[in-house]
Amino acid sequence: MRTKTVCILGGTGFVGQHLVSRLGQAGWHNLVPTRRPHRHRDLKLIPHLELTAVDRLDAATLAPLLAKCDAVVNLVGILNEQGETTFERVHIELVRELTAAAAQAGVERFVQMSALNADATGGGSAYLRSKGAGEDLAHRAEGLQVSSVRPSVIFGRGDSFFNRFASLLEMSPGLFPLACPDARFAPVWVGDVCEAIARLLDDPSTVGRRYDLCGPRVLTLEELVAQTADWIGRRRLLIGLNDRASQWQAKLFERLPGKPFTMDNYWSMQTASVCAEQNGLLELGIHPSDIDTIVPTYLR
């Protein structure tokens, strides 16, 4: 049987590194375009992985690469804008170029990574609106068999959620002011997200579907940060900020290098990141993993 090839955009990122490992184990050959292959030489240790250098992520550049692929997975996304790296360019224009390239190359199967609460017109933040627009664009593309996943905050080894708060707690002198303490999340394990994508690729009945992906529990941000402090053995007094103070923190922090917290992040957290109806993991036959069984294994 011929080995199938999947092109994974964003394959060098947090979710991407877990996904190429999962698909490689399933027998897929992973083609991962990147501008700087030399920065990711460690990924060459993963079986069935091919890094390929690209200068641009436009249809003209991507179409020849996709010509040897059976499927495409788009994981590319940003939480904050930086200079020319905007939500419009990353979440919408890239999807337009990628779907055009897939159509030119004759690739039919396409999986789009979106976000819970993504909505092109009703999203509560620019991030969520752009994610929704990109998701809609992918599903409207002619000639493509598209499925999308819409996860809550993703956790796992190498994540930027629990690891980030653990680092901040380590540096905190004792008091820890926390914006949006009542924001609600249903953290979903990266392994479950990757398993969902793998099943979508192999199941034609999922074409046209959009799957919300959530973990088994809903917790507030304050509860998640408090649990993180316990796991790393740091006693900190969490000071939950009210709405006005949270906005002031966002306006201050978005001026700092790396934009650790922005007003757009604040607006995103005004909508609970939970599955309102059916959890797509359960629909796909996946039992969601809880933070208690996984996060301590990499924070400690």
Side-chain angles (χ1 to χ4, degrees):
M1 181 181 296
R2 183 179 70 86
T3 299
K4 294 188 293 184
T5 297
V6 56
C7 179
I8 303 177
L9 271 76
T12 61
F14 161 55
V15 176
Q17 293 188 39
H18 288 270
L19 182 61
V20 295
S21 179
R22 169 65 181 85
L23 294 181
Q25 293 171 5
W28 284 86
H29 178 74
N30 297 282
L31 179 64
V32 178
T34 176
R35 287 189 174 92
R36 302 175 182 87
H38 63 279
R39 291 189 178 182
H40 308 287
R41 287 192 293 267
D42 56 313
L43 296 183
K44 293 183 178 181
L45 298 175
I46 299 176
H48 312 296
L49 172 65
E50 177 185 352
L51 291 173
T52 183
V54 294
D55 294 325
R56 298 172 59 84
L57 294 178
D58 55 20
T61 303
L62 292 171
L65 294 177
L66 300 187
K68 53 184 177 181
C69 296
D70 300 278
V72 177
V73 176
N74 180 29
L75 302 175
V76 180
I78 57 173
L79 288 175
N80 294 313
E81 297 179 311
Q82 296 279 358
E84 295 183 356
T85 306
T86 64
F87 293 139
E88 174 76 22
R89 173 170 288 188
V90 176
H91 296 159
I92 302 174
E93 291 301 326
L94 176 58
V95 175
R96 182 174 289 110
E97 296 289 339
L98 184 55
T99 53
Q104 291 178 33
V107 179
E108 295 183 344
R109 197 67 177 99
F110 192 103
V111 176
Q112 171 74 10
M113 170 74 84
S114 187
L116 211 55
N117 301 319
D119 188 321
T121 57
S125 65
Y127 167 80
L128 291 173
R129 289 190 294 273
S130 65
K131 272 292 193 179
E135 180 183 333
D136 291 344
L137 191 63
H139 278 270
R140 289 197 303 266
E142 294 185 8
L144 295 184
Q145 299 175 0
V146 180
S147 304
S148 54
V149 292
R150 299 157 48 90
S152 182
V153 62
I154 303 176
F155 70 90
R157 188 173 301 277
D159 69 43
S160 59
F161 187 81
F162 286 106
N163 281 298
R164 182 177 184 181
F165 277 111
S167 297
L168 292 173
L169 288 163
E170 290 276 7
M171 295 185 292
S172 172
L175 299 179
F176 193 89
L178 181 65
C180 306
D182 297 325
R184 295 192 300 147
F185 300 89
V188 58
W189 182 42
V190 65
D192 290 337
V193 174
C194 293
E195 181 63 29
I197 293 173
R199 296 191 184 192
L200 293 180
L201 288 172
D202 288 332
D203 186 353
S205 71
T206 64
V207 171
R209 298 286 307 280
R210 310 185 191 210
Y211 292 87
D212 291 352
L213 306 183
C214 290
R217 284 194 294 157
V218 174
L219 299 119
T220 66
L221 183 60
E222 186 170 17
E223 291 171 329
L224 291 168
V225 175
Q227 183 65 77
T228 302
D230 287 342
W231 282 324
I232 64 175
R234 293 292 184 269
R235 297 186 65 179
R236 299 290 185 265
L237 179 61
L238 300 183
I239 308 297
L241 302 180
N242 62 25
D243 190 65
R244 175 172 291 186
S246 295
Q247 292 189 44
W248 275 111
Q249 188 185 83
K251 291 175 182 178
L252 172 63
F253 281 21
E254 69 183 1
R255 297 175 180 272
L256 299 178
K259 296 185 177 183
F261 183 53
T262 68
M263 276 302 298
D264 201 67
N265 300 150
Y266 164 84
W267 289 118
S268 289
M269 289 197 291
Q270 301 313 296
T271 305
S273 186
V274 302
C275 289
E277 297 179 356
Q278 180 68 37
N279 186 344
L281 291 179
L282 298 175
E283 290 187 68
L284 294 168
I286 303 168
H287 182 72
S289 302
D290 193 77
I291 57 174
D292 285 345
T293 61
I294 294 172
V295 180
T297 66
Y298 60 87
L299 283 190
R300 290 174 182 167

